[in-house]
């Protein structure tokens, strides 16, 4: 008998010598090997014997094979299987910045609060971090070493502690990417300090040297027990979580905030030396940090400290919900003036701080589509000036087409709702075109069809001054005057062609004239509600109800002056208040969003396309549903667009 492990090659020829093949079969058993030789005249017997041999071999192997897993591994896998649910109940994914001192306490606290913790690998590659952050629903910045003072414009003092340059670069890049995407962020100890530095603040390199006091801020141990007391700002998020205006904390740091970054507020100080112990950006931005270590207490079951993580995870859940909804809906911002930046070094492809709308920022904010305005400032209405206006309008529209065409892998021109859905399915941003100021059509009605054929979907009848079509809401001879004779013809021609009429900037008289005359629903592409803040650019409740009766939509703008009396403090909450008011008065089917970015738009908490996801989070907090968001973000507007484009 041959050895068990030997391979038998059986060469067989058929009687016509037409084919030659090799059948290699190894049959291993404890005592024998079966060899079967195929003959042309015994096909049936061969297959029966082969099947029997295989069965015998498998049976013998099964009897002899050891268990695949050890008892301990089997027990662990059984636990894993028992934790598998037949119901899809996703938890938010919380990234944690890695550190040399990172303990199980951080991950355990997030687990107890209902999140899924994941440690983010340390890397200074911004592209890796961008893709990593894109998968997260929240970010926790952990404690650890000191931060290099050059990042806040200072030289290193001898009292400065251990600095890890790789970690500084990693965390600052990580924070930049997370803040660009509006992730909820929670920091502890160093986490508070790096957040403040990342947002433009500075630090005491060594509190005992630079701010001597009787409070011992630095401890060599990591213990849950109290080190000193803090005083908490009443009504702050920190006060709500701790349920007190004074508290004993386990402060473990020799550095602290010296200059607070813009956009943050201090909500707790150490007693009695007033070193900042807690900061937050709520409700404007989802950022909070504390100088102490609540994870030490939360991880061992302290209910009070666990509330920090429960709040953090609840914000991450809302953010995850908003992202999920945006993956299914079509979102559109119906007005921005970004084309004005194209001639000043701006680009749709670049992520520039000074430019509020771009492909990267739209991607970060989960915004699918954007109307780019061909804007013309109002000038004289003599024939020569009108001809120049038409030429300028044509030039801007062509420039928009040229700019979008540069990046076919990332975006495209959209004319219809179907175009926008197609581009979204391809992972691209959709760019629509509108004309801001009917001054651009001159005094020739044929230009309406000409621009329509070039992809223009709406025309704002006027801007901030009266023109050849109508009176404006600002710098007007008479707010109660409306359409001119030419303006009446313009409205009729726009209805005939399928061009949407935009009444933002229009006078009260123009608004009511169009309401009587138009046979198609209209829009106000970037306006607000006088019921929240009285401004001549906003609509009163009667206008909102008339707009709803017309089937139209008010697209709430994000322009500080139109949202509140104090433009310096206007925030995203003011914008949401306008949306909420318009929904109550006009109904959920008649409200949308039109930012006016790159044309003066922007408020605290919503400064660019990347911040648009925050509006959805805010609306979800107020109880709006996915169906509501679907309508507000595009469903209502596209209904109007489709109604106008429909042939009579």
């Amino acid at each position: 008998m041959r050895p068990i492990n030997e391979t038998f090659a059986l060469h067989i020829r058929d009687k016509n010598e037409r084919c030659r093949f090799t059948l290699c079969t190894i049959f291993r058993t404890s005592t024998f090997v079966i060899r079967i030789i195929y003959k042309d005249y015994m096909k049936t017997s061969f297959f029966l014997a082969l099947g029997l041999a295989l069965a015998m071999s498998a049976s013998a192997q099964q009897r002899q094979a050891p268990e695949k897993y050890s008892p301990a591994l089997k027990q662990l896998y059984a636990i894993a299987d028992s934790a598998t649910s037949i119901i899809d109940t996703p938890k938010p994914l919380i990234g944690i910045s890695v550190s040399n001192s990172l303990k199980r306490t951080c991950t355990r606290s997030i687990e107890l609060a209902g999140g899924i913790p994941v440690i983010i690998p340390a890397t200074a590659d911004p592209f890796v971090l961008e893709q990593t952050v894109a998968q997260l629903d929240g970010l926790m910045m952990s404690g650890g070493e000191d931060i290099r003072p050059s990042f806040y414009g200072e030289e290193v003092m001898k009292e400065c502690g251990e600095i890890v340059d790789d970690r500084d670069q990693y965390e600052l890049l990580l924070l930049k990417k997370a803040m660009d995407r509006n992730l909820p962020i929670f920091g502890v100890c160093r986490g508070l300090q790096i957040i403040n530095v990342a947002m433009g603040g500075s630090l005491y390199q060594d509190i005992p040297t630079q701010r001597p006091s009787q409070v011992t801020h630095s401890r060599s141990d990591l213990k849950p027990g109290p080190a000193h007391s803090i005083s908490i700002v009443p009504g702050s998020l920190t006060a709500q979580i701790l349920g007190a205006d004074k508290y004993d904390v386990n402060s473990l740091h020799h550095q602290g905030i010296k200059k607070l970054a813009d956009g943050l507020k201090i909500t707790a100080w150490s007693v009695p030396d007033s070193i900042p112990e807690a900061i937050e950006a709520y409700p404007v931005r989802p950022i909070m940090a504390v100088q102490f270590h609540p994870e030490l207490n939360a991880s061992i079951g302290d209910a009070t400290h666990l509330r920090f993580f429960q709040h953090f995870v609840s914000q991450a859940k809302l953010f995850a919900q908003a992202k999920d909804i945006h993956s299914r809906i079509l979102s559109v911002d119906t007005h921005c003036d970004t084309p004005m930046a194209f001639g000043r070094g701006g680009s749709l492809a670049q992520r520039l701080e000074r430019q509020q709308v771009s492909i990267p920022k739209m991607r970060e904010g989960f915004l699918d589509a954007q109307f780019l305005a061909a804007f013309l400032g109002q000038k004289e209405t003599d024939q020569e000036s009108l001809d120049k206006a038409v030429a300028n309008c044509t030039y801007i529209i062509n420039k928009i087409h040229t700019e979008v065409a540069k990046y076919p892998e990332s975006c495209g021109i959209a004319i219809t709702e179907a175009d926008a859905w197609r581009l979204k399915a391809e992972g691209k941003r959709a760019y629509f075109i509108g004309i801001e100021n009917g001054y651009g059509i001159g005094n020739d009605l044929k230009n309406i069809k000409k621009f329509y054929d070039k992809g223009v979907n709406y025309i704002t009848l006027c801007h901030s001054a009266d023109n050849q079509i109508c009176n404006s809401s600002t710098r007007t001879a008479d707010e109660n005057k409306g359409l001119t004779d030419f303006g009446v013809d313009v409205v009729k021609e726009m209805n005939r062609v399928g061009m949407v009429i935009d009444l933002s900037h229009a006078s009260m008289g123009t608004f009511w004239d169009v309401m009587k005359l138009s046979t198609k629903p209209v829009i106000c592409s970037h306006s607000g509600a006088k019921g929240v803040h009285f401004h001549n650019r906003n609509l009163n409740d009667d206008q909102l109800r008339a707009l709803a009766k017309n089937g139209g939509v008010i697209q709430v703008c994000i322009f500080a002056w139109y949202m509140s009396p104090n433009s310096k403090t206007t925030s995203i909450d003011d914008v949401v208040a306008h949306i909420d008011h318009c929904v109550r008065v006009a109904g959920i089917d008649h409200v949308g969003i039109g930012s006016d970015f790159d044309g003066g738009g922007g408020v605290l908490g919503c400064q660019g396309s990347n911040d648009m996801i925050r509006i959805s989070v805010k609306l979800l907090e107020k109880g709006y549903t996915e169906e509501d968001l679907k309508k507000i973000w595009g469903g209502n507007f596209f209904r109007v667009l489709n109604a106008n484009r429909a042939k009579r």
Side-chain angles (χ1 to χ4, degrees):
M1 181 177 292
R2 300 189 184 213
I4 287 288
N5 293 329
E6 183 177 350
T7 300
F8 297 100
L10 305 178
H11 302 286
I12 303 151
R13 297 176 181 172
D14 66 14
K15 58 186 176 182
N16 295 320
E17 298 294 318
R18 288 180 300 178
C19 73
R20 179 183 181 93
F21 62 93
T22 301
L23 176 64
C24 302
T25 311
I26 303 174
F27 300 100
R28 296 185 178 93
T29 68
S30 58
T31 57
F32 63 90
V33 174
I34 299 176
R35 294 196 303 167
I36 301 175
I37 302 176
Y38 174 77
K39 295 295 183 179
D40 216 31
Y41 56 87
M42 292 182 63
K43 290 182 180 179
T44 304
S45 299
F46 164 72
F47 285 116
L48 289 172
L50 180 61
L52 177 62
L54 289 172
M56 293 173 62
S57 176
S59 177
Q61 289 180 11
Q62 188 176 15
R63 288 196 301 272
Q64 289 193 358
E67 287 287 346
K68 184 176 181 180
Y69 303 125
S70 69
L73 190 57
K74 283 183 66 177
Q75 184 177 11
L76 189 63
Y77 285 178
I79 293 173
D81 288 341
S82 68
T84 303
S85 174
I86 61 172
I87 302 174
D88 186 14
T89 54
K91 295 181 177 181
L93 190 67
I94 308 296
I96 306 175
S97 66
V98 69
S99 71
N100 295 334
S101 60
L102 183 64
K103 304 295 183 182
R104 169 75 171 128
T105 53
C106 291
T107 57
R108 182 57 180 157
S109 297
I110 289 170
E111 288 171 356
L112 289 172
I116 299 175
V118 57
I119 308 301
I120 303 174
T123 175
D125 188 327
F127 295 102
V128 172
L129 290 174
E130 180 176 10
Q131 292 299 310
T132 302
V133 168
Q135 310 306 314
L136 301 177
D137 303 312
L139 174 65
M140 179 180 175
M141 305 303 293
S142 60
E145 303 83 2
D146 289 354
I147 300 162
R148 182 164 292 283
S150 61
F151 286 114
Y152 48 90
E154 295 183 9
E155 297 294 327
V156 179
M157 294 173 51
K158 64 179 181 179
E159 293 84 4
C160 193
E162 180 186 4
I163 294 173
V164 181
D165 288 325
D166 287 348
R167 184 179 182 190
D168 287 347
Q169 293 179 33
Y170 151 69
E171 287 197 333
L172 288 168
L173 286 170
L174 178 61
L175 273 168
K176 173 67 164 60
K177 294 296 185 182
M179 289 188 292
D180 286 346
R181 287 181 174 269
N182 284 280
L183 262 70
I185 298 171
F186 180 53
V188 298
C189 197
R190 170 191 161 97
L192 172 143
Q193 297 162 16
I194 196 79
I195 288 170
N196 187 59
V197 171
M199 296 178 68
S202 66
L203 304 175
Y204 291 113
Q205 295 186 43
D206 183 63
I207 294 173
T209 302
Q210 296 177 283
R211 281 283 302 274
S213 79
Q214 63 269 46
V215 177
T216 301
H217 285 277
S218 181
R219 288 169 58 175
S220 59
D221 59 348
L222 280 171
K223 293 182 179 180
H228 66 86
S229 296
I230 61 172
S231 177
I232 306 167
V233 175
S236 65
L237 181 57
T238 306
Q240 294 173 37
I241 289 173
L242 292 176
D245 56 8
K246 289 186 179 179
Y247 205 81
D248 292 334
V249 297
N250 56 352
S251 185
L252 305 164
H253 61 101
H254 81 108
Q255 291 195 320
I257 292 175
K258 180 165 66 175
K259 175 190 173 186
L260 186 68
D262 290 341
L264 295 171
K265 55 189 174 186
I266 299 171
T267 55
W269 290 268
S270 58
V271 177
D273 58 357
S274 299
I275 296 295
E277 290 282 338
I279 57 175
E280 60 191 62
Y282 286 96
V284 173
R285 301 189 70 181
I287 300 172
M288 182 184 191
V290 294
Q291 188 64 78
F292 46 96
H293 286 267
E295 77 279 8
L296 296 180
N297 300 73
S299 63
I300 58 175
D302 184 288
T304 300
H305 287 88
L306 183 60
R307 288 202 289 268
F308 282 104
F309 294 91
Q310 289 170 332
H311 171 80
F312 173 46
V313 171
S314 71
Q315 288 295 304
K317 285 181 179 178
L318 278 172
F319 184 71
Q321 184 184 0
K323 290 194 302 181
D324 184 48
I325 290 172
H326 273 255
S327 72
R328 292 188 294 273
I329 67 174
L330 185 60
S331 55
V332 60
D333 171 0
T334 56
H335 188 84
C336 79
D337 290 295
T338 308
M340 291 194 298
F342 295 163
R344 303 194 300 261
S347 165
L348 288 176
Q350 293 179 281
R351 195 191 191 286
L352 304 171
E353 288 301 316
R354 67 178 183 272
Q355 185 177 310
Q356 295 171 296
V357 175
S358 65
I359 296 167
K361 287 189 177 183
M362 289 176 66
R363 183 174 62 245
E364 292 165 0
F366 298 88
L367 181 65
D368 299 314
Q370 177 71 61
F371 266 85
L372 300 174
F375 165 72
L376 294 98
Q378 187 62 47
K379 298 186 184 305
E380 300 299 322
T381 56
D382 59 90
Q383 190 61 51
E384 182 180 0
S385 298
L386 289 171
D387 290 343
K388 285 182 179 179
V390 175
N392 288 337
C393 190
T394 304
Y395 171 78
I396 298 170
I397 292 167
N398 290 339
K399 187 165 61 173
I400 291 172
H401 279 279
T402 300
E403 177 68 17
V404 174
K406 291 178 183 177
Y407 316 106
E409 72 288 350
S410 302
C411 64
I413 289 289
I415 297 174
T416 67
E417 179 183 8
D419 290 338
W421 278 112
R422 172 181 53 79
L423 288 164
K424 180 182 175 79
E426 295 172 359
K428 301 176 183 179
R429 306 299 132 179
Y431 289 104
F432 291 86
I433 304 174
I435 293 175
E436 185 175 24
N437 196 356
Y439 183 56
I441 69 168
N443 56 5
D444 189 347
L445 294 176
K446 293 179 182 177
N447 286 324
I448 296 173
K449 181 65 163 60
K450 181 187 95 170
F451 290 136
Y452 180 86
D453 291 341
K454 291 179 73 68
V456 175
N457 265 307
Y458 74 69
I459 297 175
T460 314
L461 295 186
C462 62
H463 190 241
S464 297
D466 301 342
N467 65 11
Q468 79 279 19
I469 296 173
C470 64
N471 279 38
S472 168
S473 62
T474 51
R475 290 187 300 174
T476 180
D478 188 342
E479 163 71 12
N480 294 312
K481 284 188 177 181
L483 295 171
T484 64
D485 290 341
F486 177 67
V488 170
D489 292 337
V490 167
V491 168
K492 292 178 180 178
E493 180 65 5
M494 288 178 71
N495 281 170
R496 186 191 72 80
V497 168
M499 184 78 78
V500 178
I501 297 168
D502 177 18
L503 289 174
S504 283
H505 289 286
S507 70
M508 190 70 71
T510 299
F511 178 91
W512 290 113
D513 281 351
V514 172
M515 285 295 104
K516 295 174 184 176
L517 186 61
S518 179
T519 59
K520 300 284 185 70
V522 306
I523 66 168
C524 293
S525 66
H526 55 300
S527 294
K530 283 181 178 175
V532 179
H533 172 55
F534 191 91
H535 191 283
N536 55 23
R537 277 281 286 105
N538 294 341
L539 274 61
N540 64 31
D541 288 359
D542 286 341
Q543 288 176 294
L544 289 174
R545 283 187 280 267
L547 194 65
K549 186 176 180 181
N550 164 267
V553 183
I554 177 173
Q555 304 289 120
V556 174
C557 69
I558 308 177
F559 200 114
W561 291 351
Y562 306 159
M563 297 290 101
S564 80
N566 190 341
S567 61
K568 292 183 179 180
T569 61
T570 305
S571 77
I572 189 172
D573 287 326
D574 294 302
V575 174
V576 171
H578 279 259
I579 294 173
D580 213 30
H581 180 86
C582 291
V583 168
R584 288 197 303 271
V585 176
I588 190 64
D589 295 320
H590 304 284
V591 183
I593 296 168
S595 67
D596 208 4
F597 286 149
D598 291 317
V603 299
L604 297 175
C606 195
Q607 294 284 354
S609 296
N610 59 303
D611 296 328
M612 291 302 222
I613 191 68
R614 284 288 294 153
I615 295 177
S616 292
V617 171
K618 289 286 186 179
L619 291 174
L620 288 171
E621 281 183 318
K622 292 181 73 67
Y624 283 77
T625 67
E626 177 173 341
E627 184 62 24
D628 295 335
L629 265 61
K630 180 180 178 181
K631 291 179 178 181
I632 290 171
W633 272 116
N636 294 336
F637 171 79
F638 284 117
R639 183 194 69 246
V640 173
L641 179 65
N642 295 337
N644 274 267
R645 294 187 65 86
K647 301 304 178 184
R648 304 180 69 177

